Amino acid sequence: MLSVREQLHTTVFSQCYSPGGRHLAVCTNFGHIAIFSVSAALLSDTTESQHRPLFMFKAHDGPVYTLASTDKLLISAGTGEIHAWNWADILSKTPKVIWTVSIPDSYKLYSPEINSLVLDSKGTDYKLYAGCGDNNIYIWDVEAGVLQTTLKGHTDYIHDIALRAASHECVTASEDGTVRIWDTRTPQHAVHALEPYKIESCNRPERGKWIGCVAVDAGDDWMVCGGGPRLSLWYLRSLTSTTTFDTPKACQQCAMFYEDTIISAGSEAYVNHWYVNGDLKGRVPCKPTSVFNVSINTESDNNKVLTVAGSSSMIDVCTNFGYRAFSLTVC
């Protein structure tokens, strides 16, 4: 249980659905992971208690910044270390660390935060990508626990990672203002480096050049990115920006493709739904005043919801994506 003071100052950085989609895991700035029953919260006769965690446990000594999931493991990352937990242990309320990997100590002075985890399940083995505060992206073989590759080239810390589904490429977004495209078969340097802040339609000098989010569509042809510069859509075959999405009062900190739309959110209490031509389809008010993560439960058709997390102890749940139905509370 969190104290009243902790609850008032809780930030939820990331969220992740369980295999089968019946449960939602969220992680906080106090190092906790909280588990909610999505299926129970969606019942017609649900009670307030079903909007609270089934279970919460201390996962890291400091903040937990990001989560990822395999069909068996929940993977969490904070400062310097990545832990793996067995979903079966978590749901039986007996979590224990299955394995831990540490970020190489590049500077010998501090352990960098891990801002983004992405799993690649192509082929026979899972690969885990970690974007870190030491400007690097590390790639591990999950089964063997072996560091396979380090991608170096960014000059400031990594905010986000996206994978291209049909290739060996990954796309990274950094505080240095670049989006870099890497071929992991030739990891010595990035294949391309895009600089949205140098594009007149994207540039917002008053907001800075940092790129906080990046996503690639299922067809691998389109990318969306944003941060200090305006959120923008890029055609990857020509590496050109085709559309911008204007949020004058906010920097976008998360973005995703969903069906024929783009969903984004950031430093204001709204989730934006965009048509790909740049027109705004809708803006949904939310409880967090700054949004760090928007997630859709694609693991279960019966429990398909959109959840919104950020600078609040409350996680908004949107059942038809167009409005907030109710909120879960980390407490």
Side-chain angles (χ1 to χ4, degrees):
M1 296 287 289
L2 297 181
S3 69
V4 173
R5 181 178 296 177
E6 283 180 322
Q7 193 168 342
L8 288 172
H9 295 280
T10 292
T11 294
V12 177
F13 287 115
S14 185
Q15 41 185 348
C16 183
Y17 291 96
S18 67
R22 293 177 58 84
H23 297 90
L24 173 69
V26 306
C27 60
T28 77
N29 57 319
F30 291 112
H32 295 107
I33 293 176
I35 307 297
F36 295 89
S37 173
V38 178
S39 55
L42 291 174
L43 293 173
S44 58
D45 58 348
T46 187
T47 64
E48 186 176 338
S49 65
Q50 289 167 316
H51 292 172
R52 298 185 178 190
L54 287 173
F55 176 58
M56 186 161 63
F57 63 97
K58 186 75 169 178
H60 292 257
D61 291 335
V64 186
Y65 295 112
T66 182
L67 299 173
S69 179
T70 73
D71 56 351
K72 294 180 180 179
L73 300 177
L74 176 66
I75 302 173
S76 63
T79 299
E81 289 187 335
I82 301 170
H83 296 328
W85 316 80
N86 192 305
W87 271 111
D89 293 339
I90 291 172
L91 296 178
S92 64
K93 301 183 181 180
T94 57
K96 52 184 177 291
V97 176
I98 302 300
W99 52 254
T100 296
V101 295
S102 298
I103 303 301
D105 190 1
S106 303
Y107 296 102
K108 310 297 182 185
L109 297 174
Y110 71 96
S111 296
E113 72 276 12
I114 301 148
N115 297 315
S116 180
L117 290 178
V118 177
L119 281 159
D120 181 3
S121 58
K122 293 192 297 290
T124 57
D125 299 315
Y126 278 104
K127 289 184 172 54
L128 179 66
Y129 290 67
C132 299
D134 63 357
N135 315 341
N136 297 329
I137 303 96
Y138 300 96
I139 306 173
W140 276 274
D141 181 310
V142 173
E143 293 297 324
V146 175
L147 179 63
Q148 289 189 328
T149 307
T150 302
L151 305 179
K152 297 184 177 183
H154 281 291
T155 59
D156 214 329
Y157 57 86
I158 312 302
H159 282 292
D160 203 6
I161 302 172
L163 302 182
R164 299 188 75 177
S167 72
H168 295 272
E169 291 184 343
C170 75
V171 185
T172 55
S174 171
E175 185 74 11
D176 66 13
T178 67
V179 174
R180 298 186 186 231
I181 301 172
W182 309 79
D183 186 328
T184 58
R185 295 169 299 181
T186 55
Q188 293 80 11
H189 53 79
V191 178
H192 302 287
L194 308 178
E195 299 173 303
Y197 70 95
K198 292 186 177 180
I199 306 297
E200 184 176 355
S201 60
C202 303
N203 186 30
R204 297 190 297 184
E206 72 281 5
R207 301 282 184 182
K209 66 180 185 178
W210 59 278
I211 304 296
C213 58
V214 65
V216 176
D217 80 318
D220 278 351
D221 286 332
W222 297 92
M223 178 193 77
V224 65
C225 64
R230 292 178 182 87
L231 190 74
S232 55
L233 182 67
W234 293 68
Y235 186 49
L236 288 174
R237 296 194 182 190
S238 61
L239 301 177
T240 54
S241 174
T242 63
T243 311
T244 55
F245 309 89
D246 201 12
T247 52
K249 297 181 180 180
C251 298
Q252 300 304 279
Q253 296 168 160
C254 54
M256 68 169 68
F257 289 89
Y258 179 70
E259 295 181 346
D260 60 348
T261 65
I262 291 168
I263 300 172
S264 74
S267 58
E268 61 181 350
Y270 290 93
V271 176
N272 305 297
H273 296 254
W274 307 92
Y275 294 109
V276 293
N277 67 355
D279 291 343
L280 184 64
K281 180 180 180 181
R283 275 163 62 85
V284 180
C286 60
K287 291 290 187 181
T289 55
S290 186
V291 178
F292 294 119
N293 187 272
V294 176
S295 186
I296 295 173
N297 186 3
T298 58
E299 296 287 330
S300 168
D301 290 337
N302 292 332
N303 301 309
K304 192 169 188 177
V305 293
L306 179 148
T307 47
V308 183
S311 56
S312 172
S313 62
M314 305 184 81
I315 299 106
D316 287 349
V317 179
C318 303
T319 50
N320 78 345
F321 298 10
Y323 68 93
R324 182 180 64 87
F326 58 89
S327 297
L328 306 171
T329 304
V330 179
C331 60

